[in-house]
Amino acid sequence: MSDLDNDVPFRMLPELNGISHFFWTAGERGELMFLHCQDCDGLIHPPQPLCPRDHSKNLEPRAVSGRGRVHTFTINHQPWMPGPELPYVVAIVEIEEDPSVRLMTNLVRVEPGDVRIGMPVRAVFEHHADDGGDVWIPLFEPDLEQV
Ligand SMILES: [Zn+2]
């Protein structure tokens, strides 16, 4: 995984509340993390206090590989807010370890016209300094090592 440093004001800076703090800061170490339920062995996203499957509170952040596939995507041509250069790709990425875990994200380092459903991707992190604390936004780029 590589690092992206970017001063572009972000798309949507996340709120750093207690339960999601690990998710937005794991990118400092180049890691993509999800809550893992120790009781049913499932991954959980977005972060929440109880496992949606068995209501367990026995949850711990766990690093995953960062690999995934494009579940679906859309190309945004509309300048909704100050942010990335247009057009950019908004995608839902399925995580390799559990394809039921899906992340709303942006794809980078790819021509919007080259994006395909099922395309292998991997996480990269965009660092943003913010008053509430630094965040590392997980974005995805094509993974040329997966076929
Ligand atoms: Zn569970």
Side-chain angles (χ1 to χ4, degrees):
M1 293 183 214
S2 54
D3 223 44
L4 294 173
D5 259 308
N6 200 330
D7 291 331
V8 176
F10 187 64
R11 337 166 188 272
M12 295 172 264
L13 275 178
E15 244 182 89
L16 279 186
N17 60 35
I19 198 150
S20 64
H21 186 266
F22 77 91
F23 180 80
W24 298 112
T25 54
E28 183 175 14
R29 303 180 304 277
E31 289 183 330
L32 183 62
M33 294 187 91
F34 293 98
L35 283 181
H36 171 255
C37 175
Q38 324 266 16
D39 291 322
C40 71
D41 203 31
L43 293 173
I44 297 154
H45 188 74
Q48 48 204 280
L50 297 178
C51 173
R53 282 171 288 260
D54 55 16
H55 306 287
S56 169
K57 290 184 191 169
N58 209 358
L59 313 179
E60 289 285 341
R62 167 180 283 194
V64 297
S65 65
R67 290 190 295 268
R69 287 183 185 270
V70 175
H71 175 71
T72 187
F73 68 98
T74 179
I75 298 171
N76 190 11
H77 298 276
Q78 302 290 333
W80 292 110
M81 45 190 159
E85 223 175 284
L86 295 167
Y88 62 90
V89 182
V90 179
I92 295 176
V93 167
E94 301 173 348
I95 299 311
E96 179 178 81
E97 286 78 2
D98 180 352
S100 71
V101 173
R102 292 172 182 168
L103 200 57
M104 174 82 85
T105 185
N106 294 138
L107 300 186
V108 296
R109 297 174 178 157
V110 61
E111 285 299 319
D114 292 341
V115 178
R116 297 286 178 268
I117 286 172
M119 190 171 92
V121 290
R122 63 180 175 187
V124 291
F125 298 92
E126 197 174 78
H127 175 218
H128 292 267
D130 185 54
D131 293 345
D134 286 15
V135 297
W136 284 261
I137 312 272
L139 306 175
F140 285 78
E141 66 177 5
D143 186 354
L144 305 174
E145 286 161 29
Q146 282 189 83
V147 279

